[in-house]
DNA sequence: GTCACTGCAAAAAATTTGCAGGCGT
DNA sequence: ACGCCTGCAAATTTTTTGCAGTGAC
């Protein structure tokens, strides 16, 4: 029994839920790849090997895996459905206030250098990168 | 005429496209907020002020704004439809290969320190942050 | 045996497309 | 005037839900 399955099993038990075959299959496939995935891709991948896991079950299992802390929304997604306007030059990263939405821009250079340093270690060629943080700006911190 | 509108206008001209009223309205609303948005939110916001911009037009304008480099997919989105499994500890950032999907994990500490340094300058309290890069891993660079 | 879970199909929501007229250049 | 653009409504695609039978505990 893989470590992930163990974690999932425990999580389900704690919530009075059951470890079923479809859930096992889904978990296994999730951990079988290192790529980001969406429901469609995951479903296809499962369908290539097994017959009987429905899309609905995949949709229903994903929130459980998130709650169990086994998967999360992809970090560097091309967030298909969220956008932000580009603000001044692109050589900045953003500190976005969760309360008032204010965006503070700061210089990217130093952060980028660190990133590139690590990329170089792996002979990895960075084409794009994103850096950003959410939290509370000085004004909104007072209110919390 | 705002700077953004100017950029958009130029972009459209260069492509033989036209600056129409709906496109102007959409652009204006995009830059009217600092928050991330999705089509629905943008559409509602427009509808609160104007009568005649259809959802379809919003959907059709967004790719243009992206191509014009005026908006981009949100940095820190909760990518509603992309997931990744959680891999070892979370104190890593990822270098994701665009070709083979391989994920290289690297230590976050140094990057985080830089981020925190800038946050401190603004008395900003970071609650969450994401860092990641796409590009080509050493294996896949050979093929390009 | 109980109650959560499943697949299926239908429903709802989100996105894309075709079309006939309207409008920027 | 030309041809891109628009709104609308229909089509498609994506996600959620209801239900009756099935299976984990």
């Amino acid at each position: 029994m893989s470590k992930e399955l163990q974690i999932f099993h425990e999580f389900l038990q704690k919530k009075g839920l059951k470890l079923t075959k479809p859930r096992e299959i889904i978990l296994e496939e999730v951990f079988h790849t290192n790529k980001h995935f969406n429901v469609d891709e995951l479903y296809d991948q499962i369908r290539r090997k097994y017959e009987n896991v429905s899309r609905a079950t995949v949709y229903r299992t994903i929130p459980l895996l998130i709650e169990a802390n086994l998967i999360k929304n992809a970090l560097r997604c091309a967030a298909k459905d969220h956008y932000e306007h580009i603000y001044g030059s692109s050589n900045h990263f953003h500190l976005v206030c969760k309360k008032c939405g204010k965006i503070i821009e700061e210089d990217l250079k130093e952060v980028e250098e660190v990133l590139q340093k690590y990329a170089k270690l792996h002979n990895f060629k960075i084409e794009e990168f994103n850096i950003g943080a959410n939290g509370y700006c000085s004004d909104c911190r007072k209110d919390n």
Side-chain angles (χ1 to χ4, degrees), chain A:
Chain A
M1 185 140 141
S2 72
K3 189 182 165 197
E4 295 88 43
L5 189 53
Q6 231 172 330
I7 293 171
F8 195 35
H9 194 180
E10 257 173 57
F11 166 81
L12 290 170
Q13 280 192 324
K14 215 175 297 177
K15 299 203 58 157
L17 305 179
K18 290 163 187 172
L19 180 60
T20 60
K21 200 71 195 162
R23 286 178 178 164
E24 237 180 272
I25 290 169
I26 292 166
L27 181 68
E28 181 185 331
E29 284 312 311
V30 162
F31 277 87
H32 188 265
T33 177
N34 281 337
K35 300 189 190 196
H36 296 174
F37 60 90
N38 60 28
V39 173
D40 233 44
E41 290 158 358
L42 181 55
Y43 178 71
D44 283 351
Q45 195 181 319
I46 289 170
R47 266 333 198 52
R48 252 176 271 127
K49 305 190 186 172
Y50 308 93
E51 303 274 279
N52 290 319
V53 178
S54 75
R55 260 201 169 73
T57 300
V58 176
Y59 275 111
R60 285 188 277 228
T61 302
I62 282 180
L64 294 175
L65 291 172
I66 291 177
E67 204 187 333
N69 240 284
L70 286 162
I71 68 173
K72 59 177 172 178
N73 288 311
L75 281 178
R76 293 229 50 273
C77 60
K80 215 182 89 206
D81 57 358
H82 278 79
Y83 309 93
E84 59 185 343
H85 66 245
I86 290 163
Y87 204 68
S89 124
S90 63
N91 292 318
H92 292 89
F93 66 88
H94 293 170
L95 302 169
V96 182
C97 180
K98 289 167 105 167
K99 183 125 186 245
C100 70
K102 181 159 63 194
I103 298 177
I104 299 169
E105 295 193 318
E106 261 299 351
D107 194 65
L108 205 50
K109 206 174 304 164
E110 236 179 297
V111 193
E112 184 175 355
E113 275 166 18
V114 180
L115 241 49
Q116 293 290 4
K117 185 179 90 183
Y118 284 111
K120 202 162 185 176
L121 280 179
H122 298 279
N123 193 30
F124 187 97
K125 180 177 181 353
I126 292 179
E127 294 243 317
E128 311 132 24
F129 62 94
N130 281 326
I131 292 175
N134 282 149
Y136 295 97
C137 72
S138 55
D139 288 343
C140 294
R141 291 180 73 170
K142 293 171 201 154
D143 313 337
N144 288 306

